[in-house]
Amino acid sequence: MASAARVDLDGNPIRPITICMIGAGGFIGSHLCEKLMSETQHKVLAVDVYNDKIKHLLEPASLPWAGRIQFHRLNIKHDSRLEGLIKMADLTINLAAICTPADYNTRPLDTIYSNFIDGLPVVKYCSENGKRLIHFSTCEVYGKTIGCFLPKDSPLRQDPAYYVLKEDESPCIFGPIEKQRWSYACAKQLIERLIYAEGAENGLEFTIVRPFNWIGPRMDFIPGIDGPSEGVPRVLACFSNNLLRREPLKLVDGGQSQRTFVYIKDAIEAVVLMIENPTRANGQIFNVGNPNNEVTVRQLAEMMTQVYSKVAGEPPLETPTINVSSKEFYGEGYDDSDKRIPDMTIINRQLGWNPKTSLWDLLESTLTYQHRTYAQAVKQAMSKPIPSS
């Protein structure tokens, strides 16, 4: 259980607070709730439409943190209870979003409404009631790197100044309007600007988090098992689904895009530091990622194939990957960024945080969970006869 003598980074005793966590039932929310229950004395008002991923924290009533977490089932779009919950809390954390690339250009209206319009009341209620806000944005707000516009043979492409992404310096560069894949990034950037303006004009205390591919157990869903059969989750769950079904992993446009990946447990430590060190976190935008875990999507697929073979005790497929076009996989209007490498200067200076877990270790932990959780269910689903039309 949590110690009573915990102190912040400046040596001050940490006072237990009440946190209104919107989107508490999701991937990030479930891990954050676990950390807050097991290692702190903070209270959580967990707001979401589903609670499957946090059920183990809500029952039975004999849990050591019983009474410190309450689940409130509501949709923030149309519920008058939201302002009351924000008023009851010292801090609001907004995790709610549509954040699956397959939706950005197939459901652009839902994406814009979810990530901008639906978040407006949260910002408004926090500002009007003098409540602190930690808002989860995305690394996608950076869009494309400056380097991607240089000639392919330019030596400047290797210069970090052209691709490392800095919260206070890097421009946000999106594709043309017809590339609706940028609907998500644009909506997220606009609400960041609104929050920043509320801080400047009305004194809102805020922190903005830009996650760079947080990976771990309970991320997304496996199509046909705990999500829609036709659903397309993010890359880790997509590749996990292929591995569980012993299908080749699909590489969009050859898997040449480069990404960094950070373990969810490392990232959650950063969020707790933000929660408990408001004087260091207020008014800041933080990249939260691991620049040491950079790979191409193709390299990620190859590594996941090796790790899953070890975890599952199965030989890897003879043909582990196949190439598909972005149009075929995501539909019309898809576009992508070439690299996403976070600069860590600000979060390291303000909070002293650095990620610890290597890419191999985080994949081993995550794929062990995926295998234990889904392998049997996937086998059963695959053994069922397909109904004739």
Side-chain angles (χ1 to χ4, degrees), residues 186-205:
C186 194
K188 283 291 197 180
Q189 187 202 143
L190 188 52
I191 201 159
E192 277 198 29
R193 292 191 181 278
L194 180 86
I195 291 166
Y196 197 90
E198 280 285 355
E201 291 192 28
N202 297 322
L204 173 67
E205 292 188 353

Side-chain angles (χ1 to χ4, degrees), residues 280-341:
R280 289 170 174 254
N282 282 342
Q284 298 289 342
I285 300 173
F286 290 121
N287 289 340
V288 182
N290 189 339
N292 298 317
N293 286 346
E294 187 203 6
V295 286
T296 65
V297 174
R298 176 178 287 279
Q299 288 168 331
L300 176 71
E302 291 165 353
M303 192 179 286
M304 285 182 68
T305 300
Q306 292 175 39
V307 172
Y308 190 75
S309 177
K310 176 189 172 187
V311 164
E314 299 173 353
L317 291 176
E318 286 187 21
T319 308
T321 61
I322 55 171
N323 292 336
V324 297
S325 70
S326 55
K327 183 177 179 181
E328 178 186 349
F329 193 81
Y330 287 119
E332 202 71 57
Y334 189 76
D335 198 6
D336 207 354
S337 54
D338 53 329
K339 289 166 80 85
R340 287 211 199 105
I341 301 177

Side-chain angles (χ1 to χ4, degrees), residues 97-204:
I98 286 178
C99 51
T100 306
D103 291 328
Y104 303 161
N105 56 300
T106 56
R107 297 170 57 204
L109 285 176
D110 285 344
T111 299
I112 292 165
Y113 271 79
S114 170
N115 292 293
F116 179 64
I117 303 295
D118 296 347
L120 294 180
V122 178
V123 180
K124 178 173 178 280
Y125 296 149
C126 286
S127 186
E128 289 177 351
N129 292 288
K131 302 296 184 177
R132 185 175 166 222
L133 172 65
I134 295 180
H135 181 83
F136 272 69
S137 184
T138 172
C139 61
E140 293 238 358
V141 297
Y142 292 110
K144 297 169 179 276
T145 65
I146 298 171
C148 79
F149 295 97
L150 295 170
K152 290 201 184 303
D153 58 354
S154 171
L156 291 176
R157 278 181 170 256
Q158 305 308 313
D159 184 341
Y162 289 87
Y163 62 81
V164 173
L165 301 169
K166 300 183 178 184
E167 301 97 323
D168 55 347
E169 291 183 19
S170 297
C172 302
I173 307 171
F174 302 151
I177 297 298
E178 67 181 25
K179 299 293 187 183
Q180 296 202 91
R181 185 251 195 278
W182 300 109
S183 59
Y184 173 68
C186 194
K188 283 291 197 180
Q189 187 202 143
L190 188 52
I191 201 159
E192 277 198 29
R193 292 191 181 278
L194 180 86
I195 291 166
Y196 197 90
E198 280 285 355
E201 291 192 28
N202 297 322
L204 173 67

